[in-house]
Amino acid sequence: MVRHGGRGWHGRVLAAAIGVTAVAAATSVWTAQADSVAGRDHPAASAGPAAPGAGAQGRAGVPVSVDIAHASDRGARGLNITIDDGPDPVWTPQVLRVLRENGVKATFCMVGTQAQAHPDMVRAVVAAGHRLCDHTVSHDTAMDTKSEAYQSQQILDAERMITKASGGVRPLYYRAPGGAFTPYSRRLAASRGMRPLGWNVDSKDFERPGTAVMVATVKREISNGPTVLFHDAGGDRSQTVAALRELLPWLKQQGYSFGFPVR
């Protein structure tokens, strides 16, 4: 997986989140973990992170694997469209429109501070039948170098922010910023009913290389696997919208269908 570190927008998100994280750091981790143990807001969640390779008990009583998901629930010719870093009041509605026009459902990996700032966009995503994914509070691509307490705060506070913004719909997946997973973060996410989520094809849209380059990249790399990465925040996403408008019909013509990552 490619790390998307060192980008200005992510730095601004991190700075914006300091006010949230600094105040919460001393108490939120203990509270969230205590809630998990007591089953206060996740009655079916396990008491704590499972052992590596084991499944944790999800919210519906179904084991959630700690392994990073890539496969699609639509089988061998299924694809998962995943949209990261939003929601954004300008670009998320445009992405939603293209998805709707093509009859495609996607998984939106939301940054906690973005969800908190734009709850109407989170609700619009849910209302359209898409799924939510926890992408941490501040999109720190160096999370795998930080303490377990910090990782807990980033994952669990974002889960609460997204759930509150959505009106009670919880994220079903956890995607580490830049792929910075750790065994601990995967176990913690799974214990909260969130399957760790990777990707196989990076559209490179974050770098804004041009719509034609992005389209060519996805077409060239689609054989790598079913989960494709795009973004709906972090700057001008007009190229992403245009690329999706071109790619989704083409992928259908190639015999692909669209689903969600396996749980």
Side-chain angles (χ1 to χ4, degrees):
M1 291 184 177
V2 178
R3 284 183 185 270
H4 299 293
R7 296 191 172 95
W9 180 80
H10 291 148
R12 292 194 295 275
V13 170
L14 180 59
I18 288 175
V20 175
T21 60
V23 173
T27 59
S28 63
V29 175
W30 182 89
T31 301
Q33 291 174 331
D35 284 350
S36 178
V37 171
R40 293 172 191 165
D41 61 354
H42 293 290
S46 68
Q57 199 70 10
R59 286 186 285 271
V62 178
V64 174
S65 174
V66 302
D67 294 332
I68 298 172
H70 294 91
S72 173
D73 64 5
R74 296 300 294 271
R77 296 295 287 177
L79 294 179
N80 308 317
I81 301 299
T82 63
I83 314 290
D84 281 20
D85 294 1
D88 180 274
V90 174
W91 302 111
T92 302
Q94 296 187 44
V95 169
L96 286 172
R97 185 177 306 116
V98 175
L99 294 171
R100 182 178 66 250
E101 290 170 353
N102 288 276
V104 172
K105 303 302 181 187
T107 301
F108 284 76
C109 299
M110 296 186 173
V111 173
T113 51
Q114 292 292 108
Q116 189 175 61
H118 307 293
D120 55 331
M121 290 291 95
V122 182
R123 291 183 174 92
V125 167
V126 170
H130 306 290
R131 287 187 180 178
L132 302 177
C133 171
D134 180 333
H135 204 33
T136 74
V137 172
S138 58
H139 202 284
D140 183 353
T141 58
M143 270 188 62
D144 54 346
T145 69
K146 306 295 177 62
S147 69
E148 291 182 353
Y150 177 84
Q151 294 176 56
S152 294
Q153 175 267 316
Q154 284 283 310
I155 295 168
L156 300 179
D157 281 5
E159 181 192 10
R160 284 194 293 274
M161 289 175 177
I162 294 166
T163 301
K164 181 178 180 181
S166 73
V169 178
R170 301 180 183 277
L172 297 180
Y173 308 93
Y174 163 65
R175 173 173 276 169
F181 288 100
T182 66
Y184 176 80
S185 68
R186 291 189 291 109
R187 293 195 304 269
L188 177 62
S191 78
R192 303 293 287 184
M194 298 184 292
R195 178 75 185 265
L197 176 59
W199 66 86
N200 306 103
V201 180
D202 185 349
S203 68
K204 306 295 185 185
D205 67 331
F206 202 94
E207 300 169 5
R208 297 196 289 274
T211 298
V213 173
M214 290 159 49
V215 168
T217 297
V218 173
K219 289 182 176 181
R220 183 179 63 250
E221 298 185 4
I222 197 65
S223 61
N224 291 348
T227 302
V228 190
L229 172 64
F230 296 96
H231 296 81
D232 63 342
D236 186 333
R237 294 286 148 236
S238 57
Q239 294 178 12
T240 299
V241 174
L244 284 167
R245 187 170 286 117
E246 183 174 344
L247 280 165
L248 296 180
W250 180 85
L251 290 166
K252 286 183 179 181
Q253 291 170 5
Q254 306 311 302
Y256 291 104
S257 59
F258 299 91
F260 295 111
V262 293
R263 292 266 297 150

